[in-house]
Amino acid sequence: MKLASAIGIAVHGINQNKLRGFLSILGVIVGVVAVIGMGALAASMQEALSKQAQQLGANTFTIERVSPVEMGMLWMGGNRQAMFELFRRPRFDLSYVDELRDNCPSAQSIAPMSKGTNRFRHRRKRSDESITVLATNEDFLQGGVYELGEGRFLMPNDVTSRRYVCVVGQEVVNEFFEGRNPIGEEIAIGPMSCKIVGTLKEVGAALGENPDNVAIVPITTALKHWPWMRWQMSINIEAEPGKFEDAQDEAITTLRRLRELRPWEKNNFSIITSEMMMELFGKITGAASVVVLLIAGVSLVVAGIGIMNVMFVSVRERTRETGIRKACGASSNSIMMQFAIEAVML
């Protein structure tokens, strides 16, 4: 049998059972889309997490009381006792910043940071959802994610004098001041009424978070109204070029002295670098990729089984046709080729 004739017979067989053929094709489409979609999801998640880790900066590290990275490592390792020990660590104090500045000559900038959320209000308009509030000092922009757009950033006097000023992200500008310059406007952040002194350049959303939906305030002002922020305080340190390891050693030595740790005691704080975040994110995304691809693979296998069943029914229903064709001289190979072509076309 010629190939063209076999294809014509296969098309005729599919047209005779359009609904069954459509359902078979739909099953394959669902399976293939599941594989491609899950693979793309895993790849995009890994890329977003890697980008987030790289935003910390190759020359920047963070000191935290309880590190989410360390928590993630312990959770994946099943060490629950060590996880509970992390929560018993004493909180950071804002005086650590001045001590680190005096005792870490390899550090280029030192910025405390604490984060919370609150509703914003400008005149009669209220934010639809809570907006992120970052409490920090004048060094925050160095080695960080954000860049200053218009106006100015926080100044040392803003921090020492506990001034009610803030720098807002583009999402806040679009929500409250669309088409207007927000510099000099007053905006209420919870119980505080702050004057906007600057705006940030757009960063872009990642992993469901929108870093542009933010307001940055002096940390001294924030701690006055939200004392609980002390328990979430971390310290970002940007090292001088080529002195990354020295800056870490100086910071560790200073904090061990401030927290009165004896030589044989472990650090009751965590040092987070971009390499550590990449390692953790790699483990998380690797495990997630395997899971999502297994789910997608099952969908594709189910679709294949569906086609197999359809072709089995198709052969059984056409037993009489097959017998007539063999009686007319058709070979077994030509009949098998006909059904194989039909399956391939589906």
Side-chain angles (χ1 to χ4, degrees), residues 55 134 145-146 169-171 200 203-206 209-215:
Q55 285 176 345
L134 288 179
V145 179
Y146 296 100
Q170 284 301 312
E171 192 71 22
L200 301 169
V203 177
E209 295 185 1
N210 190 352
D212 297 312
N213 200 25
V214 66

Side-chain angles (χ1 to χ4, degrees), residues 118-119 121 164 188-193 225-226:
N118 220 308
R119 290 292 183 91
R121 187 180 72 257
Y164 289 88
I189 305 175
M192 303 189 307
S193 180
H225 292 274
W226 302 299

Side-chain angles (χ1 to χ4, degrees), residues 149-325:
E150 298 180 355
R152 67 171 179 86
F153 195 65
L154 302 181
M155 300 178 66
N157 286 340
D158 297 330
V159 180
T160 56
S161 302
R162 298 181 180 178
R163 289 179 177 170
Y164 289 88
V165 295
C166 66
V167 180
V168 297
Q170 284 301 312
E171 192 71 22
V172 179
V173 174
N174 295 336
E175 182 174 356
F176 291 98
F177 308 99
E178 187 173 4
R180 295 186 291 126
N181 187 354
I183 307 298
E185 296 280 353
E186 295 282 338
I187 190 168
I189 305 175
M192 303 189 307
S193 180
C194 296
K195 181 180 180 181
I196 299 175
V197 295
T199 62
L200 301 169
K201 292 183 179 180
E202 187 174 359
V203 177
L207 294 177
E209 295 185 1
N210 190 352
D212 297 312
N213 200 25
V214 66
I216 300 177
V217 301
I219 191 167
T220 50
T221 308
L223 294 179
K224 178 181 178 181
H225 292 274
W226 302 299
W228 53 265
M229 274 191 168
R230 297 180 185 274
W231 290 95
Q232 298 181 356
M233 188 187 305
S234 61
I235 301 175
N236 294 340
I237 299 179
E238 183 185 15
E240 295 282 355
K243 296 184 177 181
F244 186 71
E245 299 294 337
D246 294 339
Q248 284 193 60
D249 292 339
E250 293 164 359
I252 291 173
T253 301
T254 303
L255 286 177
R256 286 185 62 87
R257 175 177 57 81
L258 292 172
R259 295 167 82 81
E260 299 179 350
L261 292 175
R262 297 174 182 176
W264 60 85
E265 292 181 319
K266 295 182 179 180
N267 294 337
N268 56 3
F269 53 89
S270 301
I271 302 288
I272 308 301
T273 63
S274 57
E275 289 80 6
M276 294 175 62
M277 294 180 66
M278 289 290 291
E279 180 182 356
L280 175 63
F281 291 160
K283 291 182 178 180
I284 294 174
T285 55
S289 299
V290 171
V291 172
V292 296
L293 289 177
L294 281 176
I295 295 173
V298 169
S299 301
L300 191 58
V301 169
V302 170
I305 293 174
I307 288 185
M308 182 185 70
N309 289 333
V310 167
M311 296 312 302
F312 177 74
V313 172
S314 178
V315 172
R316 289 294 298 270
E317 285 181 347
R318 293 156 69 180
T319 303
R320 181 176 298 179
E321 175 191 337
T322 302
I324 294 174
R325 292 187 61 201

